[in-house]
Amino acid sequence: MSLEKDGGIRSEKLLHSFWHVNHCIRRIVQRTALENDLTIPQYALLITLAPFEEMTQKQLGKATFFPKSTLSQAVEGLVQAELIQRNPVEDNRREMLLTLSDKGQLLYNKIQSQESSILQAFESATNSLSEKQYDDLLTSQRQIITLLEEAIERGE
């Protein structure tokens, strides 16, 4: 077991750092969702769907990692609020195609411009990094993600 000078294990320090980043993201997302009368899953679906013209509900579920029940409830809430439209896929009537409504696009644009939103917070954080820091961070995270996904597949 390799300890750093100050007594901490490298992997634990990095894991705690990721937890801290995750905690900060969740707090900002909660605040932004609440300010816009959305649940956290609804907010996540809205900002995931918005950059695309359309997505199937299945694609949206894969992108957000939500369980089917959470996904269905959040989609239903967004449809009821007239923020997205849900229509059956032409060749597969069991699959639903989701599109952002005009009202949904307006809300997304509002959220993007809110100074307190996660989008603005990440923009500010990203702009504080040099290009090299940014590239190195993404490279390191991709490497960690790959190794963690391999551990998941092995059942560790």
Side-chain angles (χ1 to χ4, degrees):
M1 193 165 9
S2 167
L3 297 178
E4 289 187 334
K5 286 188 256 182
D6 59 357
I9 299 172
R10 288 181 66 199
S11 60
E12 286 182 5
K13 284 186 166 198
L14 187 58
L15 183 57
H16 284 284
S17 174
F18 279 123
W19 279 340
H20 195 174
V21 168
N22 182 40
H23 175 73
C24 292
I25 291 169
R26 292 175 63 113
R27 289 191 59 200
I28 295 169
V29 165
Q30 281 179 317
R31 182 180 61 219
T32 306
L34 184 62
E35 288 173 355
N36 292 283
D37 297 320
L38 298 169
T39 65
I40 293 169
Q42 288 171 341
Y43 173 80
L45 296 184
L46 186 73
I47 66 166
T48 302
L49 176 61
F52 303 93
E53 287 187 25
E54 58 188 27
M55 288 178 97
T56 65
Q57 190 162 327
K58 188 175 183 177
Q59 290 169 324
L60 195 54
K62 283 184 181 180
T64 59
F65 302 102
F66 286 144
K68 285 183 181 181
S69 59
T70 302
L71 179 67
S72 295
Q73 288 177 345
V75 166
E76 184 61 31
L78 292 170
V79 168
Q80 292 298 318
E82 299 177 348
L83 297 171
I84 64 170
Q85 297 164 340
R86 175 179 53 198
N87 295 300
V89 174
E90 280 186 32
D91 297 337
N92 182 352
R93 307 287 287 165
R94 292 185 299 169
E95 195 162 9
M96 292 294 160
L97 187 63
L98 306 173
T99 55
L100 207 59
S101 67
D102 290 340
K103 184 177 175 182
Q105 186 64 54
L106 286 172
L107 179 59
Y108 177 71
N109 293 343
K110 176 187 164 198
I111 289 170
Q112 278 189 303
S113 65
Q114 286 176 329
E115 287 186 34
S116 62
S117 78
I118 191 65
L119 300 169
Q120 290 295 326
F122 254 84
E123 183 72 23
S124 177
T126 302
N127 288 340
S128 74
L129 300 173
S130 70
E131 283 300 312
K132 181 172 177 6
Q133 288 174 317
Y134 176 80
D135 291 341
D136 288 348
L137 179 60
L138 281 181
T139 299
S140 297
Q141 284 187 315
R142 286 183 187 125
Q143 182 179 355
I144 291 169
I145 289 166
T146 298
L147 294 170
L148 292 175
E149 286 176 342
E150 288 172 0
I152 290 168
E153 288 175 15
R154 289 191 309 268
E156 295 177 357

